[in-house]
Each structure stands twice: as C-alpha cells, then as structure tokens.
Amino acid sequence: MATLLPGEPEDIRLLAEWLHADGVVAVPTETVYGLAGNARSSDACRKIFRVKGRPYWDPLIVHVGSQQMAEEIVEWNEEAQRLAQAFWPGPLTLILQGRGLVAQEVTAGHTTVAVRMPDHPLFLALLEKSGLPLAAPSANPFGYLSPTCAEDVQRTLGDRLEYILDGGPCRVGVESTIVDLSRADPVILRPGALGAEALSKVLSRPVLNGWNEAVVERSQAPGLAAWHYSPVKPLRLWDSTREPIPPCQEGERVLLTATPMGGEGKGTSLFTGLQSDIQQVARNLYHALLEADCDPDCKSIVVELPVGNGALQDALIQRLKKAAARY
Ligand code: TXA
Ligand code: MG
C-alpha cells in the first residue's frame, strides 16, 4: 500500500526530492487525482506509463506552477495568454507547439505539448518546491475510472505506488477541458467544466466542439481507445427524458443524476446529485461508480444520463458514453 501524506511542509520537501530522483507520486488536483513525474525525465515518464499500464502512443499533460514555466515549454501566443489569464489556475489544458524541452515520452511523437496549471494548493506547493514541470495523467489504471479522492487512488493503484499526496476530495470531479490552440481555429478535444461558450467569450471568436463534430481526426483526439473511464462491471445508460426507469435486476446498482431518489425494482438506487446542482453530480459520479464497481454485491450498474444543457453535462455525458462503449 502507498503512504498517504497530508501535505505538511516536510511532506512537500520529501516529495520534491522524490520527484528529482525520478520517482512518481499521486497528487490532488481540482479535477481528478494525477500521477506525477518530472516531465523532463524519460525515466520518470516511463514509470508513469508503466504504473498506469498506459500505451506509449497516448501523450501526457504537463502541469506547471507558473505561466512562465508554460512559456518555457510551449510556443506561447496571444490566445494562450488570454485563456490562461481568465482560467488558470483551473480546469483548462492548452495544446500548443512544443519547444523540445520535455521528454519525448510526454508527447508520444506529437510536435505539440499539452500544458495546464492546476488549481490545488498542495499540487501548486509541490510544483513550486520542486521547480519541475510535472507530467501527470489521471491516476487510474489505463481505461479505468479516474480517482477523485486519495482513497480511490489507494484502491486502484496503491500497490504500485510509494506515496499519495492527500488533498481531500476533488472540487470539480471531471478531467480538464482540453483546447487545441495549435490549429487555425481553436478546437475543444475533450469537454470539461469550461465549455466552448466560456472560451469563445474570452477569445472573441468561435471555439469548436471537436469531440462531437467531425473536425478532429481520430488520431488526434484524446482518449483514443474505443472505450475509456469504464468500470469493470457491465454499465448501462438510462436517458430519463426518453424512457421510464428500466426495470432493475437483483444486484443492479442505479446511479441517479436527475430523477429524485426512489428508483424502482430490486436494484439499489444511489444518489449522485440533483439536476439543479450539476457540480454536485460531477463531484460524486466517479466515486459512486467506483464504489459500485468494488462492491461484491453489485453485479451491474445503470447510470441516469445528466439532464440539461451546459459544459459539465456535456462532459459527463461524453465520459459516460465512452465508459459504456465497452459493453
Ligand atoms: O484534469 C486533467 O486533465 C487530469 C489532471 C490530472 O490534470 N489529467 C488528465 O490526464 O486527464 P490524462 O492523461 O488522463 O488525459 C489527458 C489527455 C489524453 O487523452 C491525451 O491523449 C491528451 O490529453 N493529450 C495530451 N497531450 C496531447 C497533445 N499534444 N495533443 C492531443 N492530445 C493530447
Ligand atoms: Mg485519464
């Protein structure tokens, strides 16, 4: 099992040294927990891929503690400046042309690099103390659910890690919005808490939703695999705006995101949030899925699709569809 560190100054010192020695460590962010290592070190980055079981063709996001560090790694421009000023630190990843200063494992052969400044005091303290750019994918085995608290990292990767920096539950609960600024027009490659509307406003021009419009070639979209974010147990999606709640089987767990408590049938209903509070749904969803997946009494899972329009709804629906694509 990994040691959980609460983030005291001596913990941050120890982990900064650990990172300088090419160690990897699970860290809290406002979105999901990440698995961090020195982005300039091939050894550290290979460890990240090994621990996750991630294929080498899937590039990593580089986390920075300051805009200056981002400017060293990528070719900064006016639009990056505007977005960073509006949303960093925060759940927004920018893709820009790289400057050849990170390990080649980070970019998986792309000329671009993804950069983001996370909004979590402990991760920011570690970035500052180490002075390193830190490559960090979500801290889950490849293809599995992302962890949103230290205990969930421990459950799925604890036996492959020495340390987990425990920063409590994640405030957002779904991975960052990824916007590609390396093209003629800005394109969102992965939806997150910040949507096209918010980004367009800051850039004063349209931002395309690349994950659901055919503007992005498959080879350039994140989460390339046909399924992703998936529990091991069978997962069904339920669209409550179109059909009544499906009859539940014995051992089936129903996660409600819009309909108030009280699903029918033999399955157990679990509440992940209210339609009126999509932030709450986002904060709880991955954890509720993981709980159901780890519960020996649960045989299969049904999730009600979030209802309503908004960036977070889009992000959660995209994740759930990818998760269910396995079945
Ligand atoms: O919120 C987040 O972004 C979390 C936390 C830990 O920061 N990180 C995260 O990383 O979700 P990961 O590795 O699970 O997802 C990053 C995605 C990958 O699917 C990858 O394909 C894409 O970012 N990506 C990274 N660099 C890219 C690039 N240069 N071009 C296109 N996609 C890229
Ligand atoms: Mg991930």
Side-chain angles (χ1 to χ4, degrees):
M1 291 306 251
T3 304
L4 258 61
L5 299 173
E8 300 296 331
E10 65 263 28
D11 300 333
I12 300 296
R13 259 198 311 277
L14 178 148
L15 291 178
E17 280 173 25
W18 180 253
L19 289 164
H20 274 276
D22 288 343
V24 299
V25 55
V27 292
T29 84
E30 80 283 29
T31 58
V32 300
Y33 273 67
L35 185 59
N38 180 0
R40 296 200 187 105
S41 158
S42 285
D43 278 353
C45 292
R46 283 199 210 114
K47 266 183 213 163
I48 293 174
F49 282 92
R50 271 205 306 277
V51 169
K52 267 193 75 114
R54 181 177 176 119
Y56 280 96
W57 47 255
D58 198 358
L60 306 177
I61 296 174
V62 177
H63 295 71
V64 295
S66 65
Q67 184 180 307
Q68 191 193 337
M69 190 179 269
E71 289 177 39
E72 285 167 21
I73 291 169
V74 292
E75 287 177 16
W76 204 245
N77 61 31
E78 161 73 23
E79 296 205 313
Q81 177 65 33
R82 285 209 214 172
L83 290 176
Q85 189 154 9
F87 301 117
W88 277 8
L92 180 66
T93 296
L94 306 177
I95 292 185
L96 290 151
Q97 285 303 323
R99 304 181 65 192
L101 291 177
V102 291
Q104 62 177 27
E105 287 79 3
V106 169
T107 58
H110 293 252
T111 57
T112 52
V113 180
V115 287
R116 140 168 147 86
M117 192 195 297
D119 188 16
H120 193 290
L122 294 185
F123 194 5
L124 287 172
L126 187 55
L127 282 159
E128 189 184 354
K129 187 80 193 166
S130 68
L132 298 172
L134 295 174
S138 49
N140 50 296
F142 182 69
Y144 196 59
L145 301 161
S146 298
T148 49
C149 62
E151 292 73 24
D152 287 352
V153 181
Q154 185 74 287
R155 275 212 264 211
T156 60
L157 284 184
D159 58 349
R160 299 186 218 168
L161 290 175
E162 280 80 3
Y163 300 113
I164 300 170
L165 182 56
D166 184 356
C170 299
R171 175 172 63 75
V172 177
V174 65
E175 299 86 349
S176 62
T177 303
I178 300 180
V179 62
D180 189 348
L181 294 179
S182 72
R183 302 155 180 261
D185 295 306
V187 178
I188 295 180
L189 299 183
R190 179 176 72 183
L194 291 166
E197 207 177 314
L199 305 187
S200 299
K201 216 175 194 174
V202 170
L203 295 180
S204 306
R205 66 169 173 143
V207 174
L208 299 172
N209 279 323
W211 83 95
N212 67 4
E213 291 162 23
V215 292
V216 183
E217 310 82 84
R218 221 171 108 72
S219 64
Q220 292 179 326
L224 255 187
W227 55 266
H228 206 37
Y229 318 106
S230 296
V232 172
K233 291 175 186 164
L235 172 69
R236 288 193 289 149
L237 303 183
W238 168 44
D239 182 347
S240 57
T241 63
R242 291 174 166 215
E243 47 194 82
I245 190 161
C248 296
Q249 278 111 55
E250 184 97 44
E252 196 154 51
R253 197 57 58 82
V254 185
L255 307 188
L256 298 169
T257 61
T259 303
M261 206 65 167
E264 284 164 24
K266 294 183 184 144
T268 320
S269 298
L270 281 184
F271 180 65
T272 54
L274 268 179
Q275 186 181 341
S276 58
D277 188 354
I278 190 68
Q279 275 91 1
Q280 190 194 5
V281 175
R283 272 197 304 274
N284 291 340
L285 187 61
Y286 278 136
H287 179 70
L289 280 164
L290 195 69
E291 285 274 305
D293 210 31
C294 294
D295 179 350
D297 294 333
C298 170
K299 303 286 177 255
S300 63
I301 308 166
V302 177
V303 183
E304 179 183 18
L305 285 168
V307 171
N309 296 315
L312 263 181
Q313 277 90 343
D314 287 351
L316 296 178
I317 291 168
Q318 185 261 357
R319 300 307 191 279
L320 287 168
K321 287 189 170 164
K322 275 256 176 192
R326 183 173 180 184
Y327 302 102

